[in-house]
């Protein structure tokens, strides 16, 4: 048999075209959810979907669904692909958009080949995955699976003081359908890895079997500001020193758990932040992630204990506040196995991998069997104009998605 | 004999009055060197000195000298007291001003008592001790002792873009005398401790026998920004983690040297400083101080070695830059002994102490026998509106200065 393939030239061209929309005055790609820039991206995707002959539906939270169904399979639970097309500030062209456009390409290929499918195919573009303009992130898929009330979500206020509901109406994407109107038979999301593992190991396809739980905390340490030259070490209550100890602990904790945890202190602030003054206050954030909930719980407890011991030892007071907390998600074994079989047939090098970032798939997993496919990210860079995946890897990933979607839509 | 005392009511009143001049629009006491606010303070001090019958001289760098000499002692090397009256931003009322006004009070007392003195007495107010508006700090005394060329100093550019020479002319304090025109027989500076030691030990007078050397560095660490969720611990080049290790090392180093060193990381900055991004860059400052030059050198070398070992271990690159470096200063044993005898006679509790901060006395020590007298600072707070020394301690310190100055001026 001649192997079907997604139109690679078209996929690459579309990624480039979509990535050229929503460039702000500083030259940065920035399509925050429900802005004019987001509307430009949405309109383009909808135009492509309609030009391909798909029916396009919008639900009340602004999620877009492009559906390919035939007379024979209409009414049966579809196979859904998708991701998001909103971006962060100063984004790359691949995050989210790749999964959406590859999904569209898969459907176009199957339509062109006239392949019989027992189930409809849908490609979804979920609203506000990035969570930059409205909180929480992955909002469209969260609402879709019933994890957040749609009315509450539409009342979300943006960083620029606007209501999401009004903004969706304004840009013409406040649909009528209730989120969850379609219950897919399966959901598969193709995405760039946004991490360095695949590239560093020379592997083309990551078969994503689970997604890390995330624990975000903000830690505020109060000590006493004093003159750096005149305060003996033993009389100090140095908030900065306590911060350093917490940073070291987070690093050691994550390193000890090896592949089962990552831990990061990404932001820090001292007050008064002067060379010759002992910091009176240090504020830092801790990002802990693990594919295993019990690991995450143990790490959170260990950190809390360490904070008490540091605050006692250094005479500072420490408060920690949870900024975000999600549990790990286990993807569907059956779909993971199917992805691996498709990868084997295609002759790609693959590995099972854990998603370190959050994705719409983690929400969809509450609704239906779900898994993800990763392609390499150059140097692991993402959320940055330097985000890059070579065309060759983009095509490979799209063709794996094609194989998996076909497999799922044919056999279920 | 009836013991002479400085007029305590007048000293406290003058400190309050001088401290009320130069309050900025935000209500902060801010008399930066050679500003209009500094002129207000200078004019008031000069007025008080002239009202007391003293001759006032200004040198080319703007240092003010108020001189009391008699027909008998004119022409002999004077005993100089003094400090500075410029302030930091949002300053307290005591730093510097206390030493100048107490010196003036000492002279007034001796004049009123008609005590015979073998030497003239001088009280000096040195220009730009704080170094906030012009670099370097302690500039007036540094130029006075020949440590910096006066022409070079007058070319110093302020943080607001002005030349010091022009600013001194503008406020009427560009004098004609060459710095160093008077070589004192001895210099004694009375100052608040600006540290917590005296208060915490319940001691009234600190007999300052030396002054710490200061080593200031800025350390810039370059790592690689990557996604906090998707980058395994082993593949990171975390500039923040390297910063934490340096902070820990600085603390341990200073603690190990115990009373012979203090070490502080007072300021830090991460880039991009986001909760879910591994820091690509961390910038921090290190403040090391020791009364022993060899300790300071050893510590600087140890830190440099540690930085190399951290950068190798973590795969980051680290650059360090010296921001300031002064050697420790040993004050004159004879004057230190005299201060102790005066303190004993007065029945005060005293201790020998090391100055952790820089003072004009460290410059004057290059020119003549020098020492300092400290009084307690409440909670060690300085460079802050909460800077406070109780009236009782202010008077004690002034009376010790009176005794020491009399002793020096009588017997030399």
């Amino acid at each position: 048999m001649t192997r079907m393939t997604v139109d690679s030239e078209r996929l690459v061209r579309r990624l480039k075209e979509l990535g050229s929309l929503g460039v702000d005055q500083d030259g940065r790609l920035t399509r925050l959810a429900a802005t004019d820039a987001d509307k430009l991206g949405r309109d383009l995707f909808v135009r492509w979907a309609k030009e391909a002959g798909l029916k396009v539906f919008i639900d009340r939270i602004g999620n877009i669904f492009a559906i390919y169904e035939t007379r024979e399979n209409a009414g049966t639970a579809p196979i859904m692909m998708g991701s998001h097309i909103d971006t962060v500030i100063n984004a790359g062209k691949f995050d989210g958009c790749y999964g959406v456009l590859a999904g569209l390409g898969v459907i176009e290929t199957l339509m062109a080949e006239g392949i019989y499918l027992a189930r409809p195919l849908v490609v979804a573009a979920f609203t506000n995955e990035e969570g930059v303009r409205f909180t929480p992130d992955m909002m469209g898929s969260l609402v879709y699976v019933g994890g957040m009330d749609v009315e509450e979500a539409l009342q979300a206020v943006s960083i620029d003081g606007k209501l999401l509901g009004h903004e969706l109406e304004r840009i013409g994407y406040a649909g009528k359908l209730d989120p969850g109107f379609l219950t897919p038979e399966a959901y598969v999301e193709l995405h760039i890895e946004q991490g360095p593992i695949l590239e560093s190991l020379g592997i083309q396809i990551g078969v994503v079997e689970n997604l890390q739980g995330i624990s975000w905390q903000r830690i505020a340490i109060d000590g006493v500001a004093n003159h750096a030259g005149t305060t003996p070490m033993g009389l100090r209550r140095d908030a900065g020193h306590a911060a350093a100890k917490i940073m070291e602990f987070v690093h050691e904790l994550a390193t000890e758990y090896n592949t089962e945890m990552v831990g990061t202190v990404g932001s820090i602030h001292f007050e008064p932040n002067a060379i010759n003054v002992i910091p009176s206050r240090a504020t830092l954030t801790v990002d802990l992630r693990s594919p295993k909930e019990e690991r995450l719980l143990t790490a959170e407890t260990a950190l809390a204990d360490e904070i008490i011991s540091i605050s006692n030892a250094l005479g500072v007071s420490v408060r920690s506040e949870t900024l975000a907390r999600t549990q790990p998600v286990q993807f569907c074994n059956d779909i993971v196995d199917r992805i691996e079989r498709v990868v084997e047939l295609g002759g790609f090098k693959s590995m099972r991998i854990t998603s370190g970032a959050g994705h719409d798939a983690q929400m969809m997993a509450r609704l239906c069997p779900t898994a993800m496919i990763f392609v390499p990210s150059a140097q692991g860079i993402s959320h940055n104009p330097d985000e890059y995946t070579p065309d060759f890897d983009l095509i490979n990933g799209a063709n794996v998605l094609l194989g998996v979607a076909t497999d799922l839509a044919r056999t279920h």
Side-chain angles (χ1 to χ4, degrees), chain A residues 56-63 65 67 144 150 174-182:
Chain A
V56 174
F57 299 92
I58 316 291
D59 70 9
R60 293 182 61 205
I61 195 67
N63 297 322
F65 301 90
I67 304 184
Y144 193 78
V150 64
K176 297 270 180 271
L177 290 165
D178 281 325
F181 72 97
L182 274 178

Side-chain angles (χ1 to χ4, degrees), chain A residues 214-225:
Chain A
I214 301 179
S215 167
W216 280 3
Q217 295 178 51
R218 180 185 294 124
I219 297 176
I221 306 160
D222 283 304
V224 176

Side-chain angles (χ1 to χ4, degrees), chain A residues 7 27 66 119 150 186 188 195 197 200 204 271 285 319 337 394:
Chain A
D7 184 334
R119 298 187 176 280
V150 64
V188 185
I197 298 174
S200 68
Q204 293 134 19
E271 289 173 27
T285 56
R319 282 172 301 104
D337 290 343
L394 294 172

Side-chain angles (χ1 to χ4, degrees), chain A residues 129-189:
Chain A
E129 194 271 347
E130 296 291 2
V132 173
R133 190 169 178 229
F134 297 95
T135 301
D137 53 359
M138 296 167 279
M139 185 195 268
S141 48
L142 177 65
V143 170
Y144 193 78
V145 304
M148 183 181 192
D149 183 67
V150 64
E151 289 298 343
E152 186 193 342
L154 292 173
Q155 294 300 313
V157 179
S158 70
I159 49 174
D160 47 330
K162 304 281 170 47
L163 281 182
L164 176 56
H166 291 169
E167 287 293 277
L168 286 173
E169 274 171 32
R170 190 179 62 79
I171 66 165
Y173 282 87
K176 297 270 180 271
L177 290 165
D178 281 325
F181 72 97
L182 274 178
T183 301
E185 181 69 12
Y187 176 79
V188 185
E189 183 167 346

Side-chain angles (χ1 to χ4, degrees), chain A residues 54-301:
Chain A
L54 306 189
K55 288 184 217 158
V56 174
F57 299 92
I58 316 291
D59 70 9
R60 293 182 61 205
I61 195 67
N63 297 322
I64 305 171
F65 301 90
I67 304 184
Y68 167 52
E69 58 181 9
T70 59
R71 203 170 307 139
E72 294 78 15
N73 65 28
T76 59
I79 304 303
M80 191 180 285
M81 300 167 287
S83 192
H84 61 95
I85 59 172
D86 70 312
T87 76
V88 295
I89 296 165
N90 201 24
K93 293 182 172 64
F94 302 92
D95 178 0
C97 300
Y98 172 51
V100 172
L101 297 181
L104 179 58
V106 162
I107 294 178
E108 290 169 304
T109 301
L110 288 167
M111 290 172 80
E113 300 276 340
I115 303 290
Y116 168 79
L117 296 171
R119 298 187 176 280
L121 290 175
V122 183
V123 57
F126 291 106
T127 295
N128 188 37
E129 194 271 347
E130 296 291 2
V132 173
R133 190 169 178 229
F134 297 95
T135 301
D137 53 359
M138 296 167 279
M139 185 195 268
S141 48
L142 177 65
V143 170
Y144 193 78
V145 304
M148 183 181 192
D149 183 67
V150 64
E151 289 298 343
E152 186 193 342
L154 292 173
Q155 294 300 313
V157 179
S158 70
I159 49 174
D160 47 330
K162 304 281 170 47
L163 281 182
L164 176 56
H166 291 169
E167 287 293 277
L168 286 173
E169 274 171 32
R170 190 179 62 79
I171 66 165
Y173 282 87
K176 297 270 180 271
L177 290 165
D178 281 325
F181 72 97
L182 274 178
T183 301
E185 181 69 12
Y187 176 79
V188 185
E189 183 167 346
L190 173 66
H191 208 283
I192 57 167
E193 181 195 345
Q194 303 182 280
I197 298 174
L198 296 176
E199 184 191 53
S200 68
L201 299 175
I203 284 174
Q204 293 134 19
I205 299 290
V207 182
V208 189
E209 58 181 349
N210 55 4
L211 188 140
Q212 293 184 122
I214 301 179
S215 167
W216 280 3
Q217 295 178 51
R218 180 185 294 124
I219 297 176
I221 306 160
D222 283 304
V224 176
N226 258 318
H227 194 296
T230 55
T231 315
M233 300 310 286
L235 291 178
R236 295 175 175 222
R237 296 178 166 198
D238 183 342
H241 182 216
K245 285 199 167 296
I246 291 171
M247 289 162 76
E248 275 285 271
F249 184 79
V250 166
H251 190 88
E252 280 164 22
L253 192 68
T255 305
E256 181 193 328
Y257 286 172
N258 198 3
T259 58
E260 293 192 348
M261 177 156 287
V262 286
T264 308
V265 173
S267 86
I268 193 164
H269 180 67
F270 279 4
E271 289 173 27
N273 208 40
I275 187 168
N276 59 347
V277 182
I278 298 162
S280 57
R281 170 170 269 225
T283 314
L284 59 118
T285 56
V286 176
D287 175 320
L288 293 172
R289 308 194 191 198
S290 174
K292 300 200 173 165
E293 176 65 12
E294 66 274 22
R295 283 292 197 202
L296 212 46
L297 287 169
T298 309
E300 287 171 326
T301 305

